[in-house]
């Protein structure tokens, strides 16, 4: 599986280093969130990598929901249970939960299909800042703190009408932002496409912290810095 370089196994646990997490964010997801930098003080493992590892371990189900419950730090041993039913909980050695997964319906494990699904989803997810969050902040006239930008995954779910596909693309069909003081709740809805055929739908929610009034120069600075970081990786 193409994820081999982004984790290691230790004592029946999965461990993700800062470098592995940062490389996945930038090289696979195209995600340049500073929280995933190798030297970030507030470093955390990308939620997209946890999502990918769940699919790598358990395969695809027709209906899946992911609830992110904590930020995974550097080299935290994570337990992915071997035997699982409809509910899966990813925990550390102390029993702290980081991700809860619900699965329903038909199940399938095909490496080619999984790689196509993972790569498509995380590439779509990696575009969130420029293509989704910036327009939403402009529309609602709020913005995250340029000095400490914090965007946290909350949930992601999808429902597939069929598991008979080999390629996958995602298309955003709706985006919303609900502002409550300094907190913003983002809802994204997307279609899952195999070629020209829609084979499912999905939803993703995120939390924006530390919202403040919109200021064009501040937002321009964040965009410029994001683009600089992206170009530096090329």
């Amino acid at each position: 599986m193409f994820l081999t370089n982004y984790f290691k196994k230790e004592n029946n646990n999965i461990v993700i280093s800062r470098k592995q997490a940062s490389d996945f964010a930038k090289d696979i997801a195209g995600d340049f969130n500073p929280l995933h930098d190798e030297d970030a003080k507030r470093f955390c493992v990308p939620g997209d990598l946890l999502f990918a590892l769940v699919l790598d371990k358990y395969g695809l189900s027709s209906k899946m929901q992911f609830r992110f419950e904590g930020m995974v730090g550097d080299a935290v041993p994570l337990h992915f249970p071997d035997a699982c039913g409809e509910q899966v909980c990813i925990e550390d050695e102390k029993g702290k939960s980081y991700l809860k997964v619900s699965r329903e319906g038909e199940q399938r494990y095909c490496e080619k299909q999984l790689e196509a699904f993972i790569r498509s989803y995380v590439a779509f997810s990696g575009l969130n800042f420029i293509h989704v969050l910036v327009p939403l902040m402009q529309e609602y006239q709020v913005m995250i703190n340029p000095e400490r930008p914090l965007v946290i995954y909350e949930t992601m779910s999808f429902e597939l009408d069929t598991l008979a596909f080999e390629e996958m693309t995602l298309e955003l069909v709706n985006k919303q932002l609900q502002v409550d003081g300094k907190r913003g709740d983002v809802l994204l809805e997307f279609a899952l496409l195999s070629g020209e055929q829609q084979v499912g739908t999905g939803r993703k929610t995120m939390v924006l912290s530390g919202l403040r009034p919109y200021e064009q120069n501040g937002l321009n600075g964040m965009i410029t810095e994001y683009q600089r970081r992206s170009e530096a990786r090329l």
Side-chain angles (χ1 to χ4, degrees):
M1 189 66 169
F2 77 104
L3 296 173
T4 302
N5 293 331
Y6 305 108
F7 72 96
K8 62 180 178 179
K9 290 188 176 180
E10 292 183 359
N11 301 321
N12 256 355
N13 292 318
I14 283 180
V15 176
I16 304 165
S17 70
R18 285 174 173 262
K19 177 171 173 50
Q20 288 170 324
S22 183
D23 286 347
F24 178 88
K26 295 173 175 60
D27 296 338
I28 302 298
D31 179 358
F32 297 92
N33 186 331
L35 285 176
H36 308 319
D37 285 353
E38 193 172 348
D39 59 354
K41 290 183 179 180
R42 305 175 70 195
F43 166 85
C44 73
V45 172
D48 285 342
L49 179 51
L50 300 180
F51 160 81
L53 291 172
V54 166
L55 293 190
D56 182 37
K57 174 77 173 179
Y58 305 111
L60 271 176
S61 296
S62 297
K63 187 176 181 180
M64 300 186 77
Q65 181 177 49
F66 300 76
R67 177 169 291 278
F68 299 89
E69 299 193 327
M71 298 170 70
V72 179
D74 176 33
V76 174
L78 298 173
H79 180 60
F80 285 63
D82 289 328
C84 66
E86 292 186 348
Q87 306 296 321
V88 182
C89 185
I90 310 303
E91 301 177 333
D92 64 17
E93 294 176 309
K94 297 179 180 179
K96 179 180 178 180
S97 174
Y98 292 93
L99 175 61
K100 288 185 177 177
V101 184
S102 300
R103 312 187 303 159
E104 296 180 35
E106 181 184 355
Q107 297 180 11
R108 186 181 184 195
Y109 194 102
C110 168
E111 287 195 1
K112 181 178 180 181
Q113 181 186 59
L114 286 172
E115 180 169 348
F117 193 96
I118 290 168
R119 285 187 180 274
S120 296
Y121 173 72
V122 301
F124 167 83
S125 184
L127 295 174
N128 281 340
F129 180 70
I130 294 293
H131 296 278
V132 177
L133 297 185
V134 167
L136 279 175
M137 289 189 288
Q138 290 173 329
E139 178 181 352
Y140 288 85
Q141 289 294 290
V142 294
M143 60 185 287
I144 54 179
N145 185 347
E147 302 301 321
R148 299 182 68 186
L150 188 58
V151 179
I152 302 173
Y153 280 14
E154 190 173 50
T155 66
M156 181 274 193
S157 62
F158 61 82
E159 187 166 355
L160 292 161
D161 303 321
T162 176
L163 296 183
F165 62 87
E166 292 187 354
E167 60 182 75
M168 176 64 64
T169 56
L170 278 73
E171 182 179 293
L172 183 66
V173 296
N174 181 42
K175 60 181 187 292
Q176 298 176 17
L177 172 61
Q178 183 174 345
V179 177
D180 183 8
K182 293 185 177 181
R183 175 189 170 109
D185 292 298
V186 176
L187 167 65
L188 308 181
E189 296 177 317
F190 52 89
L192 298 163
L193 307 172
S194 180
E196 296 182 355
Q197 179 184 1
Q198 181 169 335
V199 295
T201 58
R203 293 163 56 95
K204 177 177 180 179
T205 63
M206 297 178 289
V207 176
L208 308 184
S209 295
L211 289 183
R212 57 183 57 194
Y214 182 84
E215 197 270 307
Q216 188 64 53
N217 288 337
L219 186 63
N220 288 344
M222 281 195 289
I223 295 171
T224 299
E225 176 62 13
Y226 189 93
Q227 292 172 334
R228 182 195 67 78
R229 291 161 56 81
S230 175
E231 292 167 0
R233 192 70 180 185
L234 298 178

